[in-house]
Amino acid sequence: MVSDQNLKKIVVLGTGGTIAGTSSDASDNIGYTAAQVGVAQLLAEVPGLTGVLAGHTLLSEQVAQVDSKDMGFVVWQALAQRVRHHLSNADVAAVVVTHGTDTLEETAFFLQSVLPAALINAKPVVLTAAMRPASSLSPDGPQNLLDAVAVALATGAHGVVAVCSGTVHSALDVQKSHTYRLDAFSSGDAGPVAYVEEGQLRLLRNWPIAHAEYLHEAIEKILVTVDWPRVEIVMNYAGGSGAVVDAMLQTAPGTTALRGVVVAATGNGTLHVDLEAALRRAQAQGVRVVRASRCANGRVLPTAVAEFAHSAGLSPVKARIALMLDLMLR
Ligand code: SIN
């Protein structure tokens, strides 16, 4: 399954996360500090990596060192710039990104949305992570890194994907679905792209394709934007109200005006009558409203409450990114 581009390089970009975390107690898999170990050291500690590389050169670069709960626009911009830089190099076959699990799905979706289609429809960007810190008795990071490199080198691989626990997920579908287990990600209804079995890929469906609606041509603007539009997420629940939306519409001095709201609606986009009224007030004031669902699987079918846009199958956090990008480019 290894491609014939044997002289090409694989670049690994480090951003932090549990995969780079340490704890003073090797048996402690939760009381650790994320983002401590540099990406070069993580790679040096992966047994078998030379064999999987099969002659390819491995380069690494530390783009950030953060717990991904603190991931934000500045790191995203730096990361997208470095990924684009390396993928544009004809000598580079693929980019691997080490990342925390908590917001990996958002970074994956952001990269799939903004990187030029010509690059990511030709080469893969493989995000990987770990649920246990590097100092664990039995860390999952080294195997995930090994699998990520195998995916990066697989013939025909392209698009932004996430590799964790032997499973390859598309950036569009991947969602963290478990708080603790090593197999912490799901692709929901869509199912995974592939499994990695002892370095070999078992492909289940097509690699992600970048489409025009993902705004690839706009990367220049996005990568230099300082003031990202403020888009918040609210949830519908029993006993809900419009109070949070109404409060967000009040712009206190020094705060950014609200530009958009993604509502994590119940079921197929249903909303408490009071929340719906508040969202209507927000929309009347020029705030963009998008309905996603708080259900882990399925999509909001466009027929319900047609006055609000639907998220086209995106989860609330991904719909927020899509709305921010859309607002930035109008
Ligand atoms: C993080 O997301 O950076 C910490 C948690 C993890 O990687 O599992």
Side-chain angles (χ1 to χ4, degrees):
M1 280 266 185
V2 171
S3 75
D4 57 1
Q5 300 168 320
N6 281 327
L7 297 176
K8 294 199 172 177
K9 297 172 183 140
I10 302 293
V11 180
V12 185
L13 304 178
T15 71
T18 293
I19 192 168
T22 55
S23 165
S24 54
D25 176 356
S27 66
D28 184 357
N29 288 319
I30 53 171
Y32 59 87
T33 307
Q36 301 299 303
V37 184
V39 66
Q41 189 181 334
L42 292 179
L43 290 166
E45 291 169 4
V46 179
L49 190 54
T50 310
V52 170
L53 280 168
H56 291 261
T57 304
L58 195 66
L59 302 177
S60 69
E61 187 180 312
Q62 197 76 45
V63 173
Q65 190 62 296
V66 294
D67 185 320
S68 82
K69 70 180 174 54
D70 300 321
M71 185 55 68
F73 308 140
V74 172
V75 175
W76 275 357
Q77 286 171 319
L79 183 61
Q81 275 167 356
R82 296 315 291 158
V83 174
R84 182 182 59 165
H85 167 82
H86 290 296
L87 287 187
S88 304
N89 183 343
D91 290 341
V92 171
V95 171
V96 172
V97 178
T98 59
H99 199 287
T101 60
D102 285 346
T103 59
L104 179 145
E105 68 213 57
E106 288 166 71
T107 300
F109 180 76
F110 172 74
L111 292 175
Q112 175 74 25
S113 299
V114 303
L115 288 170
L119 291 179
I120 56 169
N121 285 341
K123 298 178 182 182
V125 179
V126 186
L127 280 79
T128 194
M131 290 297 285
R132 292 180 180 161
S135 58
S136 169
L137 275 177
S138 174
D140 51 329
Q143 182 68 56
N144 287 343
L145 261 171
L146 202 61
D147 289 348
V149 171
V151 172
L153 288 170
T155 305
H158 61 80
V160 181
V161 294
V163 175
C164 189
S165 203
T167 309
V168 185
H169 304 273
S170 161
L172 300 180
D173 304 308
V174 65
Q175 216 170 339
K176 187 169 180 180
S177 58
H178 203 279
T179 56
Y180 179 73
R181 282 205 308 252
L182 303 190
D183 194 2
F185 290 93
S186 164
S187 288
D189 289 348
V193 173
Y195 293 115
V196 192
E197 298 166 340
E198 298 297 310
Q200 300 297 305
L201 246 72
R202 176 152 61 95
L203 199 61
L204 304 174
R205 62 188 181 94
N206 291 339
W207 296 96
I209 297 272
H211 295 294
E213 68 258 32
Y214 290 117
L215 314 166
H216 302 287
E217 305 317 322
I219 189 167
E220 299 300 339
K221 185 167 179 188
I222 289 159
L223 294 191
V224 295
T225 296
V226 178
D227 299 320
W228 285 51
R230 180 176 165 215
V231 176
E232 304 285 357
I233 299 174
V234 296
M235 187 184 271
N236 192 51
Y237 41 80
S241 77
V244 172
V245 172
D246 286 334
M248 289 190 309
L249 289 173
Q250 312 300 319
T251 310
T255 61
T256 312
L258 186 68
R259 301 276 312 279
V261 178
V262 173
V263 57
T266 29
N268 183 30
T270 57
L271 297 168
H272 186 288
V273 64
D274 292 340
L275 177 58
E276 187 175 336
L279 290 169
R280 215 176 276 130
R281 285 194 289 279
Q283 196 161 258
Q285 292 184 35
V287 173
R288 297 263 303 272
V289 177
V290 171
R291 276 176 311 118
S293 177
R294 68 181 213 183
C295 293
N297 290 304
R299 58 192 289 129
V300 174
L301 296 169
T303 48
V305 200
E307 71 191 284
F308 300 128
H310 64 87
S311 70
L314 296 175
S315 66
V317 291
K318 291 180 183 173
R320 174 177 174 265
I321 295 168
L323 182 52
M324 282 191 295
L325 296 178
D326 201 38
L327 284 165
M328 262 191 269
L329 299 169
R330 275 164 197 271

